[in-house]
Structure formats: C-alpha cells, structure tokens
Amino acid sequence: MVVVNDIVIIDRSVDSFVVDLWGLSGLTYVDMTLTARIFNQSSRTQYIKAVIVSPTDGTYTFDNGTSEVQLGAINPFWYSDFKLILRRNSIPSAGQVDTVTIRFESYKDDTYSTLVDSVTKTYTIEFEDFSAPVNYVVDILDEFDDGSAPNWSGGTVTDRASVRAGGYSYVLDAGDSNVTKTAVKTFDVPSGSKVVVLFYYAIRLDSKSSYTDWMYIKDYQVKLNDNILYQVDGYFRYSKPDLFEGWFQQGFDITQYAGTLGAQFSISAYFADEYAADKELFIDRFIVAHKP
C-alpha cells in the first residue's frame, strides 16, 4: 500500500494563505510556490504527479501552462520534498478568495501509466492589497526605508536590495563564513477573527573566487516563538555560479496565536560554501495584519 501523505510543509501556511497584491498590478499572472512533502511507504519506487482538479476554467495552471505536472520519483520507504509552482493566470481584485483543489497521484512506473494511489488537497487563497486593504487592518508595516528596524535583531538595515526602487531592506549577511544566521522581530500579536504575517525575501550568493564552486543556504526555518511555521530540511537555495533570483513573498496564518504579547518571529538559515563567497538573505515589507 502506498500512502501519499497530506502536505506537511507548504509556503505561507498548510492549506490556506493570503497573497499581497501590492506591486502586482502591471503583471498578467501571479505564481505561488507550494512545497509538498510526500511519503512512499511501499517497497518500490513511486512516481508522483500533481493534477489541478478544480477550477477547470483555466484560471489556475502550473507554470508549464497545463493542469498537470510530473514531480518525479520517491525511493522505497522514503520521502521527497517537491516544489510546485501554482499559477493564477490573471491578477484578481483585492478581497477575492479562491479555492483550488489538487490531486496528488502515485504511479508505479516512470511513464505515469499505472496509478496506485491518490489524495486530494484543497487550498484557500485570499488576495489582499495591504497598501489599501479591503478586509484587513494593518498593525505593523516594516519597510526599513527610513533606515530603522524597530524591534528587529540579528541583522542590519541595508540599501543593497529592496522591493522598492531606492529603498532599504533588512539583511542577514554571512559574508564568507559557514554559519547559521537568525533575524528576530518582536511584537504583540493582535487580536482578530484572522491574523496574518507576511514578508518578502531575496537571496544573493556571490562567489569571490576565480574558481566558482557550490554556494548554498540550507535548513531554512520560520518560527513564531517555538512554533515552526515553515521549514526546509536540507538545501533551500544553491547555485554555481552566482545567484540573485529576485524577491519572493511568504506569509502565514497566525490566528491561533492572537493576543500573544512579546512574540518573537524568527527567520533563520545556515549559510555555507565550498570556496569563499558572499551570502545574504534580505527581508523587506514585513506585515502583520488582522481581520476585525
């Protein structure tokens, strides 16, 4: 019997998340990364496919432009972490809520012809423009553009990268060291019918050697106090040669922690390289918001 387990790790939150529409008005689509940890509890290799079950009108596809994507193999009695790029093929209005159902199918052959097992997962996606929110009240907005980082520790404010032209961000700079770095924001979690935290991050890996070898960031983890909101065991980003992929958005539903005083929200990762390199993780547009 093959068990395709429920997703246990996913960008933003387990099965529902909020997307900030700020800065997306000039785009024709928005990509969202889902991270699925899938277990193979059989004695033979299994091959996993993801299929969008609904909606069926083309509003959502994967980044290959279709409703199906072959994710790859899982060895016997093991698991794999797969990344899926879910694409909404138009920019929605602020306040809109979508539901998307994906079926994860397990096959016993690499031609994906003999289905063994499957499980479905439904995601609720809420879209909001937190610069002019429809359904939320913004409690904290840290953009660092005045050069300050109130109640942040572990990093520094920098003008080397920002989501806004000419702006600032908060950076974890590992230099050429092999080290774990952690940024911490301390705040009181507001009360409300729903509470969310969102932020943007970017990663720069820059070799300083004429011989470029692998540089990487691994064991990425986001926590609220001792509660893990998101983690990637092993490689989170790696590159050969240099890497700067731009900005990514990540967010979480933290309603269950509403009313917590002095909460510590942390973002940490292990930075490493085979040869000397600069390694940086930038954080920008940190938002805490609630629904009354």
Side-chain angles (χ1 to χ4, degrees), residues 61-78:
T61 62
F62 295 112
D63 60 337
N64 61 7
T66 76
S67 61
E68 299 184 358
V69 60
Q70 296 176 359
L71 300 178
I74 308 177
N75 292 328
F77 303 116
W78 200 240

Side-chain angles (χ1 to χ4, degrees), residues 128-150:
E128 184 64 275
D129 184 345
F130 286 95
S131 63
V134 174
N135 295 319
Y136 283 85
V137 175
V138 175
D139 300 277
I140 298 172
L141 174 58
D142 289 344
E143 295 185 297
F144 312 105
D145 291 339
D146 62 357
S148 68

Side-chain angles (χ1 to χ4, degrees), residues 10 18 83 128 235 246 248 290:
I10 183 171
V18 178
K83 283 190 176 181
E128 184 64 275
Y235 296 112
F248 295 84
H290 76 277

Side-chain angles (χ1 to χ4, degrees), residues 23 196 225:
V196 297
N225 291 338

Side-chain angles (χ1 to χ4, degrees), residues 224-236:
L224 184 66
N225 291 338
D226 292 327
N227 306 293
I228 297 174
L229 302 178
Y230 179 81
Q231 67 178 4
V232 175
D233 298 327
Y235 296 112
F236 182 58

Side-chain angles (χ1 to χ4, degrees), residues 57 109-110 112 173 182 201 221 288:
D57 60 1
D109 57 297
D110 59 6
Y112 295 85
D173 187 349
T182 302
Y201 71 89
Q221 189 175 81
V288 178

Side-chain angles (χ1 to χ4, degrees), residues 1 7 24 38 40 59 64 111 114 146 155 160 167 202-203 206 210 212 224 229 239 244 248 251 265 278 292:
M1 174 65 180
I7 290 179
L24 301 184
I38 302 177
N40 175 14
T59 301
N64 61 7
T111 60
T114 305
D146 62 357
R160 293 197 301 276
I203 290 170
D206 184 12
S210 58
T212 303
L224 184 66
L229 302 178
S239 179
F244 184 85
F248 295 84
F265 183 87
D278 284 329

Side-chain angles (χ1 to χ4, degrees), residues 17-26 30 91-97 125-141 143 164 196 198 200 249 285 287-291:
F17 50 91
V18 178
V19 175
D20 183 14
L21 293 174
W22 174 84
L24 301 184
S25 60
V30 56
I91 303 300
S93 301
Q96 184 167 327
V97 179
I125 309 170
E126 186 174 7
F127 297 92
E128 184 64 275
D129 184 345
F130 286 95
S131 63
V134 174
N135 295 319
Y136 283 85
V137 175
V138 175
D139 300 277
I140 298 172
L141 174 58
E143 295 185 297
R164 190 188 304 274
V196 297
L198 305 96
Y200 290 74
Q249 181 188 142
R285 195 168 165 79
I287 299 168
V288 178
H290 76 277
K291 282 185 177 180

